[in-house]
Amino acid sequence: MFTLEIAGKAVAITNADEDQAQELFTSEEFKDDLKAFTSDGEPLWDGKAPLKVRRASEDEADAFDDAMEDDEEDLDEEDDDDEGGIDVMFLVLVDDVDDDQDDA
C-alpha cells in the first residue's frame, strides 16, 4: 500500500502497487480533486506543495484494511464481483462534497 503526503501530512492511501499509486496520485484528475476537496474548509492541496508518494506505514495500512472490511460488510453479495480493483481512502476528514456537480 502507498500513501500520498502533502507538505508532510498523510492525506490518502491506496492498495495499488507503487507504479499505479504514483500514476493515480499524480494524475491531473486526482490533483484537481485535491484542490477542490476541503478539510475544515481548507483545500487538501494548494496546487503548489510537493506531492510525495511513499510506502504506507503499518498504522495507515491497518486503518485502510479496517475501513475496507467495514465497507465490505455493508455491501450486498451481488456486488462482490468488484474484487481486484484499486481502492483509495482519505486519511483526513474531507468536508461534504456536492455529488450533484456537473462536469459540463
Side-chain angles (χ1 to χ4, degrees):
M1 286 187 221
F2 289 86
T3 296
L4 173 67
E5 270 188 15
I6 301 174
K9 183 176 184 176
V11 174
I13 185 172
T14 183
N15 59 350
D17 67 31
E18 187 171 10
D19 289 338
Q20 292 170 320
Q22 187 73 35
E23 184 177 332
L24 170 70
F25 286 145
T26 61
S27 71
E28 290 304 314
E29 183 177 337
F30 196 81
K31 289 194 281 188
D32 287 345
D33 287 343
L34 290 172
K35 289 187 277 189
F37 293 169
T38 60
S39 181
D40 291 328
E42 297 292 323
L44 295 181
W45 184 48
D46 63 5
K48 298 175 187 170
L51 303 177
K52 178 182 177 184
V53 179
R54 62 161 172 79
R55 189 166 300 280
S57 71
E58 188 174 327
D59 287 342
E60 292 163 349
D62 288 346
F64 180 90
D65 288 339
D66 290 346
M68 290 297 114
E69 285 176 15
D70 290 345
D71 196 35
E72 286 177 12
E73 291 173 6
D74 293 338
L75 295 176
D76 294 331
E77 288 183 22
E78 63 190 61
D79 291 335
D80 286 343
D81 61 341
D82 191 30
E83 293 180 23
I86 295 174
D87 295 305
V88 175
M89 181 181 87
F90 284 97
L91 296 168
V92 295
L93 184 61
V94 176
D95 299 332
D96 287 337
V97 178
D98 183 8
D99 291 330
D100 296 327
Q101 294 176 352
D102 291 335
D103 292 333

